[in-house]
Amino acid sequence: MDKTTQSRDVQVNCNADNIQTLASPMPQSVLVAGGRGMVGAAIIRALKVAGVEQIFEPTHAELDYCNQAMVRQWFSEHRPECVMFAAARVGGIYANKTYPAQFIYDNLAMAVNSIQAAYENQVKRFLYLGSTCIYPRQAPQPMPENCLLTSALESTNEAYAIAKIAGLKMCQFYRQQYGVMFHSAMPTNLYGPGDNYHPENSHVLPALVRRIHEARELGAESVTIWGTGQPRREFLHVDDLAAALVHLIGLADPPDWVNVGTGTDISIAELAQTVAEVVGYRGKFVFDTTKPDGTLLKRTDISLIQSTGWSTKIDLARGLRQTYECFLKETQQLRRREV
């Protein structure tokens, strides 16, 4: 498909004027793929508040989404009414650059196996989670849904983005050809309870929380941050995302895919200073300009999801305070287990 045809196709499916916000009955049997992760756990919390009766959250041992035979058997035996697919191999710039083969294989396999098994077993609704990093490196700002596939991707996460685009398009084409309600949501950068604070493989916000906390604990005079500090990023609290996803599965005719974000951004340097204020760190920041910045500007156009009646509730300052409290509790629990 050429770029002109692709752009026209996306505009037809993602035009806010065409979105119906009529309510659809809330499913009462939901599989949360990736239910043990930060996003999955938030989705489960939101589903319980919404009154969903049966929530499946199988462990990796019970259901490996990369294993086609296991996926088909599980769907055949359990037949959930709805799937909210948050399972993924994820990571920051370092992880994406170091393990591209694993990122593309695992994310492709999970999407292909699960979407096909859902179709074969008459799943009524499948909500697939991608990421706004699937949009082109030079996407217009803020990024609208219809800029997908209009130019080159960001090289530092190309493998992950290609896999996620394939899952999104698979849902779109199954909906188009088979009439099933398979659709997608593209969240921006997430943070919140249960995040990954690994020093090398985590995303920028949790990495900053850990490193700045450790610098305060050690009395370090400075903290080194990758890049120039100039790139601007948008951050969404995971509980706001979960609320948006529950909202989307309650729509009778949702978009094929839709951005989920705050519509506001902050520079990495400003973010580091904000985290320092929350943590109580008084040192300085040193920017390692030999390391990559990634895309300089990434902010989502959220007019489409706003047109369906959803908006964010948790601002960054409040969300960061809550996140740091959770980080301290999780760190204390880990230390107790190690003793």
Side-chain angles (χ1 to χ4, degrees):
M1 181 181 293
D2 62 31
K3 291 181 181 179
T4 302
T5 305
Q6 170 62 30
S7 177
R8 182 171 61 250
D9 177 50
V10 174
Q11 288 171 355
V12 169
N13 287 286
C14 293
N15 189 323
D17 294 336
N18 294 333
I19 300 305
Q20 299 178 22
T21 57
L22 298 175
S24 182
M26 185 61 59
Q28 291 305 307
S29 171
V30 181
L31 164 63
V32 180
R36 304 306 172 97
M38 176 180 71
V39 174
I43 293 172
I44 291 169
R45 292 194 295 271
L47 289 173
K48 289 179 178 178
V49 171
V52 174
E53 296 177 356
Q54 186 176 31
I55 303 173
F56 296 105
E57 45 178 318
T59 65
H60 180 76
E62 295 167 332
L63 179 53
D64 177 358
Y65 295 99
C66 289
N67 185 320
Q68 185 182 62
M70 183 182 285
V71 172
R72 283 182 165 175
Q73 182 178 351
W74 192 96
F75 272 82
S76 178
E77 291 178 356
H78 296 87
R79 293 184 174 272
E81 184 181 346
C82 171
V83 175
M84 300 179 77
F85 199 84
R89 175 179 285 275
V90 297
I93 291 176
Y94 175 85
N96 275 274
K97 286 176 64 68
T98 306
Y99 312 112
Q102 290 170 263
F103 272 77
I104 194 167
Y105 176 84
D106 287 353
N107 286 298
L108 276 174
M110 284 187 270
V112 169
N113 293 340
S114 302
I115 294 168
Q116 176 63 18
Y119 168 68
E120 290 173 349
N121 290 280
Q122 294 80 52
V123 168
K124 294 181 180 178
R125 187 180 290 257
F126 193 109
L127 177 54
Y128 179 78
L129 266 69
S131 166
T132 55
C133 75
I134 68 170
Y135 292 126
R137 176 179 174 84
Q138 299 297 331
Q141 297 295 323
M143 299 179 291
E145 287 84 356
N146 63 11
C147 73
L148 183 69
L149 294 176
T150 56
S151 61
L153 298 167
E154 164 59 43
S155 61
T156 56
N157 67 349
E158 184 178 16
Y160 174 82
I162 287 173
K164 283 297 180 180
I165 291 170
L168 175 155
K169 298 301 286 186
M170 192 171 177
C171 286
Q172 182 190 25
F173 294 141
Y174 273 51
R175 182 178 182 179
Q176 174 184 311
Q177 181 174 339
Y178 301 129
V180 292
M181 189 50 71
F182 289 10
H183 54 114
S184 304
M186 302 297 115
T188 188
N189 299 290
L190 300 171
Y191 71 100
D195 210 338
N196 169 26
Y197 298 97
H198 190 280
E200 293 179 336
N201 294 336
S202 61
H203 288 98
V204 60
L205 194 152
L208 285 174
V209 169
R210 174 171 177 160
R211 292 166 65 188
I212 293 172
H213 167 79
E214 291 177 344
R216 191 202 68 178
E217 294 289 288
L218 295 171
E221 294 182 357
S222 65
V223 173
T224 300
I225 298 175
W226 275 28
T228 64
Q230 296 177 3
R232 300 186 68 84
R233 293 293 182 267
E234 176 183 10
F235 296 96
L236 178 70
H237 194 281
V238 70
D239 286 337
D240 265 342
L241 170 65
L245 299 179
V246 171
H247 168 77
L248 287 171
I249 66 170
L251 294 181
D253 188 20
D256 279 339
W257 66 91
V258 62
N259 293 336
V260 185
T262 64
T264 61
D265 60 15
I266 184 173
S267 75
I268 300 302
E270 292 169 330
L271 176 65
Q273 188 56 51
T274 304
V275 172
E277 291 170 3
V278 171
V279 172
Y281 176 66
R282 306 296 180 218
K284 63 180 181 179
F285 296 105
V286 176
F287 294 92
D288 183 355
T289 57
T290 66
K291 298 296 191 297
D293 270 335
T295 305
L296 291 180
L297 183 60
K298 282 182 62 177
R299 181 162 59 90
T300 56
D301 181 339
I302 59 171
S303 58
L304 182 57
I305 193 167
Q306 286 180 326
S307 74
T308 71
W310 177 84
S311 61
T312 58
K313 298 291 189 288
I314 305 172
D315 63 47
L316 184 60
R318 179 161 71 95
L320 277 175
R321 289 193 296 270
Q322 182 205 51
T323 298
Y324 185 56
E325 290 173 3
C326 291
F327 167 79
L328 294 176
K329 291 178 183 177
E330 291 164 16
T331 301
Q332 291 170 357
Q333 291 170 357
L334 180 61
R335 286 173 178 170
R336 283 197 293 267
R337 286 197 296 268
E338 292 175 345
V339 173

